[in-house]
Amino acid sequence: QTCALPICFPRVIYHFFIGVLIYTQYLKYGFNSRLLAFISVALLMTTFAVNSALVSMFTLFILAPFVVLANAKIAFDGYAERVCTWLGDISYPLYIVHWPIFQLLYLFGHLEGLTPSARVLVMGLIAVVLAWLLAILDKNVRTKLSKNRALL
């Protein structure tokens, strides 16, 4: 599936500017309510069960940015902090690898016999493990490059 520039570019530009707005509002006000954060995430999760273009647009343009803002100032410690750190470490590698992994698995993975839920689980596990390995590789490469840079 391709995306025509006139349609995709405004969507990407919108998210860039909403990111700038969230950042400025985060610095100015922020939210520090675990209840608001929980409610916003719970609402976001329920939208996946609704098959509606209007709900999808609301989620994409309003709810998802609000979830980021509502959860930005929540502080975690202990196990939750380690989980959040790990999720942050794999987020970009996961973003990079998820689509190629899904495409390769659909072409060569022989997943036709699996239920849709099982397919998502298999593809998700493979993508997360690969992203985790890429995060480790990235950390090692950055460490090596920073040591080499210090020698110059």
Side-chain angles (χ1 to χ4, degrees), residues 13-64:
I13 288 297
Y14 168 81
H15 283 100
F16 171 77
F17 286 113
I18 202 73
V20 172
L21 178 67
I22 287 172
Y23 179 74
T24 58
Q25 295 308 303
Y26 166 79
L27 291 177
K28 199 177 215 181
Y29 307 108
F31 293 104
N32 199 5
S33 167
R34 288 183 185 260
L35 179 62
L36 184 62
F38 177 78
I39 290 170
S40 66
V41 170
L43 185 59
L44 179 67
M45 292 301 141
T46 61
T47 63
F48 291 109
V50 179
N51 189 12
S52 163
L54 186 60
V55 171
S56 294
M57 289 297 158
F58 171 75
T59 302
L60 184 66
F61 292 110
I62 307 293
L63 185 57

Side-chain angles (χ1 to χ4, degrees), residues 121-132:
L121 183 64
V122 168
M123 291 188 296
L125 285 173
I126 290 171
V128 167
V129 168
L130 184 58
W132 179 53

Side-chain angles (χ1 to χ4, degrees), residues 100-122:
I101 292 299
F102 293 169
Q103 291 299 312
L104 288 172
L105 284 172
Y106 268 115
L107 287 174
F108 305 112
H110 307 292
L111 300 175
E112 299 85 23
L114 298 176
T115 65
S117 300
R119 285 184 203 160
V120 169
L121 183 64
V122 168

Side-chain angles (χ1 to χ4, degrees), residues 136-149:
I136 292 170
L137 176 68
D138 179 61
K139 183 178 180 183
N140 291 336
V141 167
R142 288 175 186 268
T143 301
K144 179 80 170 164
L145 289 174
S146 65
K147 286 180 184 177
N148 288 342
R149 187 175 190 111

